[in-house]
Amino acid sequence: MRLGAVVWLYLISPLPALAQQESRASGYSNILWLVITLMFLLQSLLIIGLQRSRLNNKRARKALKESQRELERKIAERTESLHQTNNRLQDEIARHEATVLLLRETQDYLHSMINSMPSVLIGVTHQGYVTHWNASAAFNTGISADEALHRHLNEVYPSLPISLATIKKTIESGAPLVNENMQQGQGTEARYMDMTIYPLIAAQGIGAVIRIDDVTLRVKMEHVMIQNEKMLSLGELAAGIAHEINNPIGAILHSVQNIYRRTSPELASNHEVTKNLGINVEQVYEYLRERNIYSFLEDIKEAGERAAKIVTNMLEFSHVSNRNTSLMDLKSVIDHSVELSINTGEAKELKVKPPKIVKDISTDLPGVMGSAPEIQQVILNLLRNARQALASDLQNNAEPQFKPTINIRAHAEATHVVIEVEDNGPGMPDSVKSHIFEPFYTTKEVGKGTGLGLSVSYFIITEHHKGKIEVDSTPGKGTRFTIRLPLPDKKM
Ligand SMILES: Nc1ncnc2c1ncn2[C@@H]1O[C@H](COP(=O)(O)OP(=O)(O)O)[C@@H](O)[C@H]1O
Ligand SMILES: [Mg+2]
């Protein structure tokens, strides 16, 4: 607007001078007016143009402002949506972190669960490389999980009694393979395992989980139970037979006794009978002696007495026996048994150097309820067996430095008293050991062993005293019998 007024004043300011010139030269006046009019028109057009461009400018500015506002609105909108997305993303991250934490916790939990299991758990690949190794596996093998992982099973667990071929076959079959009571080692060192192979299809690939449980205690308990059952039925049988043959043996011995008496010249009634018959007692006696009849009778008597002794032993199997139980002084029972064992004729008969008997009896042994003669019989049986075993060893074993020894020990534990009789004799293989408590089982020649010593001892300890008797034996090293007798009012 201001610019238009300035231009107008500039255009009209020379007009009075032009009028004075008209008077001097009127020819030019029309042209001048035309020029002026044209200029005026031009000026007007210019002003109009300017005005329009101003208007356009104003409109454009307005449009610009509007689009700027629109842009700002859109930016705000987008910012808001970005903000929301960002919030959502942050929520998602938080949730993700919580899930990761939970996952780690679950993993740790599972890990410690697997590790706290008493079973050995080993994960392997199809090729036998270790993928998992729990704490029990580490404990059993002495190889830590870090050392075992990714190594071959044969390398880290060479004593495992299953082959890679079996593992592969199990994986291929898809069904678990169960092997129960697998034995490892022999004799007292024998251990029993239950072994299961589970085929596994995991994200990491195909493999298997091997689970090993040490069931030695269970198997040993089962053996004891089977043994008990067997012993009970055999014991009943033996007691039944003993009752049946007790009377015939009694009759035999009684009759032998009568033959001695009725042929003896020392008995007055014999003289009377022979006199009536017209013969002489001394002649009858002489004849019988000459024909060795008395020596036959002696044999019959000896055999009969041996049979009677066996029967007496066998009667121990029957539960009805006249037993006197009292609080026993085990130390004196043991001392007495050892003394008797040294002084028996049987011990002197063994024609080898007698074993050294080493006693280690705790001085404060508590009293145990039971029958002292029965416990003495058991200890005598064990000492006799040890002596016989050592004697046979000495006969077969020429080593001069061998020192036959029997150790007899006794001490108290929380609920029971433990008595051990141990020798360094020949020991016995498993095939013998599993039968020794059976009645009539013997490895000794006829006349030397009846096979009743241990079975009677077993009954005395387990049935009469509610205790336990066990054997540990290693061929070539020796044998140890362990007796446990419960203390009064304490259950084992
Ligand atoms: N200390 C021992 N060392 C080696 N073997 C033994 C020992 N004690 C017992 N035995 C074995 O146990 C078997 C049974 O013993 P036992 O019942 O006392 O009967 P017996 O002594 O009459 O043979 C014996 O024949 C012997 O084979
Ligand atoms: Mg014996």
Side-chain angles (χ1 to χ4, degrees):
M1 193 66 186
R2 238 182 292 143
L3 185 71
V6 173
V7 170
W8 178 251
L9 278 175
Y10 170 77
L11 287 174
I12 60 162
S13 54
L15 284 182
L18 282 175
Q20 279 173 358
Q21 278 176 9
E22 191 185 7
S23 58
R24 278 176 273 151
S26 59
Y28 295 111
S29 66
N30 284 343
I31 298 166
L32 190 68
W33 275 108
L34 193 66
V35 171
I36 289 170
T37 311
L38 274 174
M39 279 184 73
F40 181 73
L41 271 173
L42 211 70
Q43 193 182 15
S44 300
L45 278 173
L46 202 70
I47 288 167
I48 288 165
L50 269 172
Q51 202 65 13
R52 184 171 290 169
S53 95
R54 219 174 55 118
L55 269 173
N56 280 348
N57 202 0
K58 204 174 168 186
R59 233 179 271 133
R61 267 217 311 270
K62 199 175 162 196
L64 197 71
K65 241 182 203 157
E66 252 167 37
S67 68
Q68 191 181 353
R69 238 176 271 132
E70 177 71 4
L71 201 69
E72 274 170 3
R73 192 179 54 78
K74 276 195 176 150
I75 285 171
E77 246 173 40
R78 192 55 56 87
T79 310
E80 176 61 24
S81 123
L82 261 170
H83 195 64
Q84 277 175 11
T85 313
N86 195 26
N87 280 349
R88 270 204 304 277
L89 216 76
Q90 258 168 13
D91 281 356
E92 198 64 36
I93 289 169
R95 262 204 302 280
H96 185 72
E97 276 172 355
T99 313
V100 167
L101 198 74
L102 199 72
L103 210 73
R104 199 167 298 140
E105 275 174 12
T106 313
Q107 199 180 24
D108 286 350
Y109 182 65
L110 281 174
H111 220 256
S112 50
M113 221 161 87
I114 289 171
N115 270 340
S116 63
M117 276 176 80
S119 307
V120 168
L121 289 173
I122 301 172
V124 285
T125 64
H126 192 252
Q127 288 79 25
Y129 288 95
V130 175
T131 55
H132 285 91
W133 190 264
N134 79 341
S136 281
F139 180 76
N140 276 20
T141 56
I143 295 177
S144 72
D146 286 345
E147 287 172 282
L149 284 178
H150 313 300
R151 281 169 67 191
H152 201 274
L153 195 58
N154 286 345
E155 202 186 320
V156 285
Y157 205 153
S159 64
L160 190 76
I162 38 170
S163 65
L164 187 59
T166 313
I167 298 174
K168 276 187 176 168
K169 228 158 77 190
T170 311
I171 294 172
E172 275 151 26
S173 76
L177 178 83
V178 185
N179 267 323
E180 285 183 336
N181 298 353
M182 293 177 85
Q183 188 177 343
Q184 274 192 313
Q186 292 292 324
T188 40
E189 265 111 64
R191 308 219 49 90
Y192 298 88
M193 320 269 176
D194 277 1
M195 200 165 307
T196 314
I197 307 173
Y198 300 96
L200 190 75
I201 298 169
Q204 297 95 322
I206 298 171
V209 174
I210 302 165
R211 178 181 150 189
I212 305 165
D213 291 293
D214 190 331
V215 290
T216 309
L217 209 64
R218 191 190 78 198
V219 171
K220 286 199 171 157
M221 284 297 286
E222 279 169 6
H223 284 176
V224 169
M225 275 161 74
I226 293 167
Q227 177 79 2
N228 265 350
E229 289 287 310
K230 199 162 66 179
M231 293 294 289
L232 277 176
S233 47
L234 283 173
E236 272 167 28
L237 188 76
I241 296 170
H243 277 294
E244 288 306 314
I245 56 174
N246 209 14
N247 290 341
I249 289 171
I252 292 168
L253 288 174
H254 189 66
S255 302
V256 169
Q257 184 80 11
N258 277 345
I259 295 170
Y260 273 122
R261 281 164 57 84
R262 290 187 186 189
T263 56
S264 164
E266 282 160 25
L267 221 71
S269 55
N270 291 347
H271 288 279
E272 246 171 68
V273 178
T274 44
K275 206 168 154 194
N276 289 343
L277 291 169
I279 51 172
N280 184 323
V281 184
E282 277 84 6
Q283 282 173 333
V284 172
Y285 179 78
E286 271 313 304
Y287 169 77
L288 292 175
R289 207 176 56 82
E290 199 60 32
R291 299 294 287 150
N292 281 340
I293 304 296
Y294 287 116
S295 128
F296 293 143
L297 281 176
E298 202 54 37
D299 287 349
I300 295 175
K301 193 175 152 224
E302 252 178 41
E305 277 170 357
R306 211 169 59 187
K309 223 161 114 187
I310 292 175
V311 165
T312 314
N313 265 331
M314 281 162 72
L315 283 172
E316 289 284 350
F317 293 129
S318 61
H319 300 284
V320 277
S321 64
N322 294 327
R323 302 173 56 239
N324 282 324
T325 57
S326 59
L327 205 61
M328 300 178 285
D329 171 7
L330 283 172
K331 182 169 163 30
S332 77
V333 172
I334 295 169
D335 284 342
H336 197 55
S337 309
V338 172
E339 213 154 290
L340 272 177
S341 146
I342 294 168
N343 296 322
T344 54
E346 201 185 333
K348 287 174 183 152
E349 256 171 46
L350 296 169
K351 293 178 196 67
V352 285
K353 133 172 106 165
K356 191 174 166 203
I357 300 185
V358 183
K359 280 191 290 182
D360 178 10
I361 317 290
S362 173
T363 46
D364 51 356
L365 269 191
V368 169
M369 280 304 285
S371 154
E374 284 185 352
I375 298 299
Q376 185 174 304
Q377 189 185 345
V378 172
I379 296 169
L380 272 173
N381 278 338
L382 299 181
L383 288 172
R384 186 191 302 132
N385 280 346
R387 215 179 262 285
Q388 288 176 335
L390 287 165
S392 77
D393 219 16
L394 275 173
Q395 273 157 7
N396 305 326
N397 186 338
E399 280 182 39
Q401 71 269 34
F402 177 60
K403 286 194 181 68
T405 313
I406 300 173
N407 277 292
I408 178 156
R409 309 182 192 97
H411 69 272
E413 287 182 3
T415 54
H416 51 271
V417 169
V418 182
I419 304 170
E420 288 176 351
V421 178
E422 186 176 272
D423 65 66
N424 59 348
M428 46 189 138
D430 280 351
S431 55
V432 169
K433 205 175 78 179
S434 55
H435 295 291
I436 56 169
F437 292 115
E438 290 168 15
F440 306 110
Y441 178 82
T442 179
T443 55
K444 294 165 192 167
E445 52 192 272
V446 183
K448 286 225 171 121
T450 57
L452 284 172
L454 288 180
S455 48
V456 166
S457 305
Y458 185 90
F459 266 80
I460 290 175
I461 299 298
T462 60
E463 291 293 308
H464 294 178
H465 292 83
K466 303 293 169 222
K468 281 182 184 166
I469 177 165
E470 283 162 1
V471 62
D472 283 324
S473 186
T474 314
K477 287 204 169 155
T479 303
R480 181 178 61 231
F481 284 92
T482 308
I483 297 169
R484 287 189 171 81
L485 294 171
L487 288 171
D489 290 334
K490 297 212 170 122
K491 290 199 174 73
M492 275 212 271

